[in-house]
């Protein structure tokens, strides 16, 4: 604003003499606009602070809502049961084999023991309501225990079995169970009363939900875990890193250090910049056409996901690496050559180590993008229901953001908390990745 | 640095080698997102109670699934595809052309599409004709002349004096969704055939009038996520929502089904065929894979067990409407003997 006034000062200056008056005029002019300029300055800073505050506020709202919703997923309610593993109810023969032990009627012994706790429940419908209090994962738990130790058959054991998702939600909340009318739940009043009986007897407990970190996906919220998706993401990103990092750095070094400036290198450069802006679904279509349909790589495998995502990450890393290489002062290269180093030695010994922090930053940005990507994976079959934790690069796998999407789309209400918990795990993964980058950067950082 | 670079190249190479095609030891399933929640429950059980690996299930949509399924024989094609409609003649022909000759059709049950509103509001009682008049882009002229006009109705009571005097606001899935396709085919088509004027139109014109939803804001495309529609209904008692029956069941403390043509969406009315807006659910099996991919026969056995697809089975607990007993028996028999689908009658 004050700039606009300045030209008006000039005509007032007489062509000859009286320098004193000129000074006084300018000073007066400056003084009169000073307050305005200070105000503008303050406003400008205020806008900046306001922008930061607004974005922080959004972030805080987002994170708080995710944490509040997701926190309950890290705990689960368990019910103490005394289970008699008698061979008759289990429908086992004299000397059962492994196959028979696996297929035994574990549901039957659990139902029997529930029945003993609530002998007054007789009607078929009521019984069904009673059995629904516990998760059916109890059967698999018992099955694992018995297979590991067949001597348990015939004994009565005390185990804590996981509650069903809705019973669990009720026990984890602070509702007053004696007033069922005040609770919004799909459970019947009778089920709430039974839950209260168990709670009053001290036979329920809320514990850390280990299953969430050890299991793969499940259609029962209380049995669903993040492990398969986490391992899937790790494997996919490993492939992405192993492919994109060396290729991108090699490309950047050649383009920056060795390539002549001509039409061809210009063309390559334009194309790299364009690739960085291509929507990710396009890479998915390419992956489907080339890697799956032509090279016959397996569908849904982390190796294909990794290759597709590395195509997407390559331009980001190349651009960042080139910028980092460009920032290394030419004097370093000249000094190296002056001492008799070959071009290759100059790059490996001097330029690359100095550019490493910048290259790593670019790599992490690229990988973080790849970590959050779902669209290209849809085309190559990684949006899938995966229960078994993937063991290698060719096993069927899914990734964290896909798991978030699949859970958000599930009808069972307890998946709401799982969705948020999966987001928390995704964020922690991202923070860890960034932390590693910061550490590496610290290690490589050199000043000149 | 030299050692590092050689280490990297070895790692890249080993990744490359380990990817060469291997025989698949798990079942690969693709297809409808409507069948997905039911197929996944069966797959999970199957993985836990047998020694086979848990099948992998991709949610690709019915059309996408059938396309993959019919693309050929071999481990890199899926073994089973789920579908919320019957296979089309064109898809069947594509299967035959690509060597997928032994296809077993399995009808597993029904899925209802619910029209619901918040439990705090009055329950709607209407016909598919009312629904058509409320949601179609073009409707017969209310003045009785034989012309079609852009939908003039703003308030429910203008359509039917028995309906409440509130603005028409219906939230439902976008055109990309299978639920939307089914809703249009079952509810809108059913409603528009009540009008002689529309019945008399030629085929293309008939389809256009019956299948086009209004776009003036009365029908709100609320996205593919049915949970979101339920949340919006809770917040807005004046609105109606369209979503899958399993979401109605899971949220019956928040939303209530409307009565359509005299029946509300519940288990019995859908199973008996009284509730108009319901569709059959299928899956198709590549019988040629049954010998090579381990576990296909056992998966079929698990799916068609009475404790799975029966009246009290776990699929019913998840919201799938079971077949009646006779149908279960005949389909079950066809599955056990792997009866191949010869033609679509």
């Amino acid at each position: 604003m004050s700039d606009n006034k300045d030209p008006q000062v000039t005509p007032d200056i007489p062509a000859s003499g009286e320098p004193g008056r000129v000074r006084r005029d300018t000073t007066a002019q400056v003084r009169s606009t000073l307050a305005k300029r200070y105000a503008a300055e303050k406003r400008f800073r205020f806008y900046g602070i306001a922008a930061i505050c607004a974005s922080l506020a959004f972030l805080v709202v987002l994170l708080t809502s995710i944490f509040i919703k997701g926190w309950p997923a890290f705990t689960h309610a368990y019910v103490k049961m005394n289970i008699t593993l008698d061979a008759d109810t289990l429908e086992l023969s004299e000397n059962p084999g492994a196959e028979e032990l696996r297929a035994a009627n574990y549901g039957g012994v659990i139902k029997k023991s529930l029945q003993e706790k609530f002998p007054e429940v007789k009607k078929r419908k009521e019984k069904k309501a009673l059995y629904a209090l516990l998760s059916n994962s109890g059967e698999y738990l018992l099955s694992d225990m018995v297979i590991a130790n067949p001597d348990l058959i015939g004994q009565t054991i005390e185990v804590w079995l996981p509650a069903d998702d809705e019973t669990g939600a009720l026990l984890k909340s602070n509702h007053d169970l004696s007033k069922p009318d005040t609770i919004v739940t799909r459970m019947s009043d009778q089920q709430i009363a039974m839950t209260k009986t168990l709670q009053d007897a001290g036979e329920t407990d809320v514990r850390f939900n280990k299953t969430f970190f050890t299991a793969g996906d499940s259609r029962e919220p209380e049995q669903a875990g993040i492990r398969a998706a986490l391992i899937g993401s790790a494997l996919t990103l490993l492939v992405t890193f192993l492919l994109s990092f060396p290729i991108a750095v090699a490309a950047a070094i050649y383009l920056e250090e060795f390539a002549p400036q001509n039409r061809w290198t210009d063309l390559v450069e334009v194309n790299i910049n364009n690739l960085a802006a291509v929507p990710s679904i396009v890479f998915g279509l390419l992956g489907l056409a080339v890697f799956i349909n032509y090279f016959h790589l397996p569908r849904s495998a982390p190796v294909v996901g990794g290759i597709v995502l590395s195509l997407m990450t390559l331009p980001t890393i190349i651009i960042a690496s080139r910028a980092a290489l460009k920032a290394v002062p030419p004097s370093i290269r000249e000094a190296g050559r002056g001492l008799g180093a070959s071009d290759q030695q100059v790059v490996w010994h001097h330029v690359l180590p100095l550019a490493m922090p910048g290259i790593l930053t670019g790599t992490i940005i690229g990988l973080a993008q790849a970590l959050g990507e779902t669209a290209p994976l849809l085309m190559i079959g990684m949006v899938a229901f995966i229960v078994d934790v993937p063991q290698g690069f060719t096993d069927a796998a899914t990734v964290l953001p896909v798991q978030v999407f699949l859970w958000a789309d599930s009808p069972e209400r307890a998946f709401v908390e799982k969705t948020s918990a999966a987001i928390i795990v995704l964020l922690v993964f991202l923070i860890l990745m960034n932390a590693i980058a910061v550490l590496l950067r610290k290690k490589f950082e050199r000043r000149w | 640095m030299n050692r590092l670079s050689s280490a990297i190249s070895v790692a890249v190479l080993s990744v490359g080698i380990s990817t060469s095609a291997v025989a698949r030891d798990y079942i690969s399933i693709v297809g409808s997102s409507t069948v997905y929640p039911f197929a996944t429950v069966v797959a999970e059980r199957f993985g836990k109670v047998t020694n086979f690996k848990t099948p992998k299930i991709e949610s690709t949509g019915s059309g996408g699934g059938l396309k993959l399924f019919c693309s050929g024989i071999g481990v890199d094609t899926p073994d089973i595809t789920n579908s919320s409609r019957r296979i089309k003649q064109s898809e069947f022909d594509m299967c035959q052309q690509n060597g997928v000759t032994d296809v077993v059709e399995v009808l597993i049950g029904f899925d209802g599409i619910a029209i619901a509103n918040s439990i705090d509001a009055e329950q709607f009682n209407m016909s598919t004709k009312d629904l058509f008049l409320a949601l179609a882009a073009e409707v017969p002229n209310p003045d009785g002349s034989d012309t079609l006009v852009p939908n003039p109705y703003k308030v429910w009571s203008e359509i039917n004096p028995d309906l409440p005097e509130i603005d028409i606001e219906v939230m439902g899935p976008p055109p990309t969704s299978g639920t939307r396709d089914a809703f249009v085919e079952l509810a809108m088509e059913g409603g528009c055939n009540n009008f002689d004027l529309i019945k008399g139109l030629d085929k293309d014109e008939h389809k256009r009038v019956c299948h086009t939803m209004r776009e003036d804001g009365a029908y709100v495309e609320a996205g593919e996520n049915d949970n979101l529609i339920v949340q919006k209904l809770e917040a807005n008692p004046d609105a109606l929502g369209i979503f899958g029956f399993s979401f109605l069941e899971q949220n019956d403390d928040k939303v209530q089904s409307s009565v359509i043509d005299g029946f509300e969406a519940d288990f019995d009315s859908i199973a008996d065929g009284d509730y108009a807006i319901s569709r059959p659910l299928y899956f198709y099996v590549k019988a040629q894979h049954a010998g090579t991919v381990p576990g296909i026969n056992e998966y079929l056995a698990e799916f068609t067990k009475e404790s799975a697809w029966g009246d009290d089975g776990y699929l019913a607990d998840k919201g799938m409407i079971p077949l009646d007993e006779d149908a279960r028996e005949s389909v079950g028999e066809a599955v056990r003997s792997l009866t191949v689908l010869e033609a679509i009658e």
Side-chain angles (χ1 to χ4, degrees):
Chain A
M1 240 181 261
S2 50
D3 284 348
N4 295 340
K5 301 248 160 147
D6 283 342
Q8 291 171 3
V9 178
T10 336
D12 291 347
I13 301 172
S16 61
E18 293 189 297
R21 223 191 111 205
V22 174
R23 198 181 305 131
R24 213 178 318 122
D25 270 4
T26 333
T27 322
Q29 197 84 38
V30 168
R31 283 235 174 89
S32 68
T33 57
L34 205 54
K36 247 185 177 171
R37 286 169 60 191
Y38 276 136
E41 183 82 21
K42 257 192 196 143
R43 272 203 303 279
F44 184 64
R45 283 189 197 184
F46 171 76
Y47 294 149
I49 293 173
I52 290 176
C53 286
S55 38
L56 270 183
F58 283 127
L59 190 69
V60 167
V61 167
L62 181 76
L63 287 183
T64 341
S65 83
I66 288 173
F67 270 88
I68 288 175
K69 273 193 201 153
W71 202 246
F74 294 108
T75 58
H76 190 64
Y78 293 79
V79 179
K80 187 164 88 177
M81 300 289 295
N82 290 309
I83 300 219
T84 311
L85 293 162
D86 67 304
D88 280 348
T89 323
L90 285 172
E91 295 164 11
L92 287 174
S93 59
E94 275 301 286
N95 279 312
E99 195 56 30
E100 202 184 333
L101 282 179
R102 183 189 274 272
N105 184 12
Y106 296 101
V109 289
I110 296 176
K111 282 176 184 168
K112 206 169 163 190
S113 125
L114 273 171
Q115 194 78 82
E116 282 161 13
K117 270 191 206 248
F118 295 94
E120 72 279 6
V121 174
K122 290 263 162 24
K123 281 192 209 133
R124 194 169 162 274
K125 213 177 161 192
E126 290 180 345
K127 276 188 186 172
K128 215 177 162 190
L130 171 64
Y131 301 153
L133 291 183
L134 284 186
S135 159
N136 64 14
S137 62
E139 297 171 26
Y140 312 125
L141 213 86
L142 286 183
S143 148
D144 288 347
M145 283 170 71
V146 171
I147 289 170
N149 181 10
D151 294 341
L152 286 176
I153 295 168
Q155 295 181 23
T156 300
I157 51 169
E158 185 193 298
V159 277
W160 287 86
L161 294 181
D164 189 54
D165 50 339
E166 288 176 31
T167 324
L170 199 64
L171 285 167
K172 280 191 276 182
S173 66
N174 297 319
H175 290 306
D176 182 356
L177 297 189
S178 56
K179 292 180 200 141
D181 298 345
T182 59
I183 307 170
V184 179
T185 171
R186 293 183 61 233
M187 291 172 74
S188 66
D189 289 358
Q190 192 198 7
Q191 282 178 310
I192 296 176
M194 291 194 277
T195 313
K196 185 171 158 36
T197 315
L198 288 173
Q199 196 183 35
D200 291 346
E203 288 172 337
T204 62
D205 192 14
V206 175
R207 301 177 182 180
F208 177 66
N209 183 5
K210 222 166 63 183
T211 317
F212 187 69
F213 294 98
T214 55
D217 197 1
S218 168
R219 289 283 298 125
E220 304 297 334
E222 76 278 2
Q223 296 169 40
I226 195 76
R227 191 183 178 95
L230 195 65
I231 303 285
S233 264
L235 290 173
T236 309
L237 277 189
L238 189 66
V239 174
T240 307
F241 174 77
L242 289 179
L243 281 177
S244 61
F245 184 73
I247 296 177
V249 173
I253 289 176
Y254 182 77
L255 285 174
E256 203 52 50
E257 302 288 325
F258 300 105
Q261 269 290 326
N262 60 25
R263 214 177 295 164
W264 283 113
T265 46
D266 283 349
L267 189 73
V268 169
E269 193 170 336
V270 168
N271 273 310
I272 289 173
N273 290 339
N274 266 340
L275 270 183
V278 167
S280 56
I281 186 85
V282 177
F283 293 108
L285 286 166
L286 178 90
L288 176 68
V290 177
F291 303 122
I292 293 183
N293 290 345
Y294 188 72
F295 285 113
H296 295 288
L297 292 179
R299 260 182 94 80
S300 316
V303 62
V304 182
I307 296 173
V308 167
L309 291 178
S310 59
L311 289 180
M312 205 191 81
T313 332
L314 267 175
T316 315
I317 307 184
I318 294 179
I319 292 169
S321 304
R322 290 190 65 182
L325 290 168
K326 211 176 265 173
V328 175
S331 55
I332 303 262
R333 296 183 184 86
E334 281 152 18
R337 288 199 194 98
L339 289 170
S342 69
D343 282 349
Q344 193 205 349
Q345 282 170 328
V346 168
V347 169
W348 278 113
H349 298 170
H350 303 283
V351 179
L352 199 56
L354 286 175
M356 222 20 144
I359 295 177
L360 284 174
T361 311
T363 309
I364 288 298
I365 291 173
L367 287 182
Q369 241 174 32
L371 177 65
E373 202 57 67
T374 53
L377 301 182
L378 183 71
M379 306 310 302
I380 55 166
M382 285 184 87
V383 178
F385 178 72
I386 305 289
V387 175
D388 298 332
V389 177
Q391 304 292 325
F393 292 103
T394 50
D395 284 359
T398 188
V399 293
L400 284 168
V402 170
Q403 193 66 75
V404 171
F405 165 74
L406 288 176
W407 283 349
D409 223 17
S410 299
E412 289 81 7
R413 211 171 296 165
F415 273 119
V416 173
E417 59 182 46
K418 300 282 169 198
T419 308
S420 296
I423 297 174
I424 295 175
V425 172
L426 182 64
L427 287 178
V428 170
F429 196 115
L430 206 64
I431 291 170
L432 282 180
M433 241 167 72
N434 280 323
I436 292 171
V438 170
L439 282 180
L440 284 174
R441 211 153 54 200
K442 279 255 163 65
K443 189 168 143 46
F444 282 113
E445 196 140 57
R446 267 175 233 186
R447 307 212 162 268
W448 56 77
Chain B
M1 274 294 172
N2 267 331
R3 205 170 299 159
L4 178 70
S5 61
S6 56
I8 289 173
S9 49
V10 166
V12 171
L13 216 68
S14 61
V15 169
I17 289 166
S18 67
T19 58
S20 50
V22 276
R24 192 149 46 74
D25 58 351
Y26 56 87
I27 305 172
S28 168
I29 304 174
V30 294
S32 162
S33 53
T34 314
V35 186
Y36 173 88
F38 309 125
T40 44
V41 190
V42 178
E44 194 181 341
R45 292 262 174 163
F46 170 77
K48 278 182 176 150
V49 299
T50 66
N51 278 325
F52 297 103
K53 280 197 171 176
T54 309
K56 176 198 78 181
I57 305 187
E58 286 176 48
S59 167
T60 60
S62 302
L66 278 161
K67 201 172 152 198
L68 283 168
F69 180 80
C70 290
S71 64
I73 295 284
V75 285
D76 46 2
T77 60
D79 311 311
I80 295 176
T81 184
N82 300 319
S83 179
S84 56
R85 57 170 170 79
R86 214 166 170 222
I87 188 170
K88 288 183 196 159
Q89 186 64 48
S90 57
E91 288 160 340
F92 185 73
D93 293 343
M94 186 171 77
C95 261
Q96 302 291 326
Q97 269 168 27
N98 290 331
V100 188
T101 48
D102 299 356
V103 178
V104 181
E105 180 180 68
V106 188
L107 172 66
I108 52 173
F110 297 94
D111 175 47
I113 294 172
I115 321 284
N117 61 352
S118 161
I119 206 143
D120 301 326
E122 196 189 330
Q123 190 179 37
F124 270 69
N125 185 343
M126 56 186 161
S127 61
T128 46
K129 186 179 156 192
D130 297 336
L131 261 177
F132 172 75
L133 289 178
L135 296 176
E138 284 181 29
V139 295
N141 200 328
D143 67 13
S145 63
D146 271 358
T147 48
L148 290 167
V149 291
N151 198 327
Y153 301 110
K154 296 270 177 244
V155 181
W156 285 103
S157 55
E158 289 170 9
I159 296 170
N160 180 343
D162 296 339
L163 291 173
E165 202 179 334
I166 48 178
D167 285 350
I168 298 172
E169 188 185 356
V170 180
M171 287 181 274
T176 46
S177 150
T179 313
R180 163 81 168 262
D181 289 348
F183 176 79
V184 166
E185 258 162 50
L186 299 160
M188 299 289 283
E189 181 109 34
C192 82
N193 284 334
N194 284 311
F195 299 96
D196 291 334
L197 168 66
I198 298 175
K199 259 198 222 162
L201 295 171
D202 71 70
K203 207 178 148 204
D204 287 347
E205 192 61 9
H206 178 269
K207 193 176 172 190
R208 186 185 66 79
V209 174
C210 290
H211 287 204
T212 314
M213 306 282 273
R214 67 196 290 185
E215 283 172 350
D216 56 357
Y219 178 76
V220 186
E221 282 175 8
E224 297 259 13
N225 189 325
D226 288 0
N227 277 324
L228 210 65
I229 299 183
V230 173
Q231 280 173 26
K232 284 181 178 164
L233 291 183
E234 225 188 329
N236 179 1
D238 286 343
L240 285 180
I242 300 169
F243 45 83
F245 177 70
S246 44
F247 287 83
L248 176 73
E249 254 222 319
Q250 284 291 327
N251 294 291
D252 55 11
D253 55 334
K254 291 180 181 165
V255 290
Q256 59 183 346
S257 165
S258 305
V259 180
I260 307 290
D261 291 337
F263 295 94
E264 63 179 276
D266 64 31
F267 233 81
D268 298 326
S269 67
I270 300 175
D272 298 347
D274 291 332
Y275 181 76
I277 316 174
S278 78
R279 57 180 157 166
L281 304 178
Y282 293 92
F283 68 80
Y284 293 89
V285 189
K286 227 175 255 180
Q288 289 142 301
H289 280 190
T292 44
V293 177
I296 291 187
N297 291 323
E298 290 79 359
Y299 174 78
L300 294 180
E302 174 69 35
F303 216 122
T304 52
K305 259 190 349 201
E306 200 59 18
S307 66
W309 73 343
D311 286 331
D312 285 321
Y314 56 78
L315 287 172
D317 289 344
K318 285 285 173 193
M320 189 188 82
I321 319 291
L323 302 173
D324 62 45
E325 216 168 326
D326 293 344
R328 283 207 298 274
E329 203 153 296
S330 65
V331 176
E333 184 46 44
V335 168
R336 273 186 293 281
S337 61
L338 290 179
T339 310
V340 171
L341 185 67
E342 298 290 353
I344 301 164
E345 61 278 353

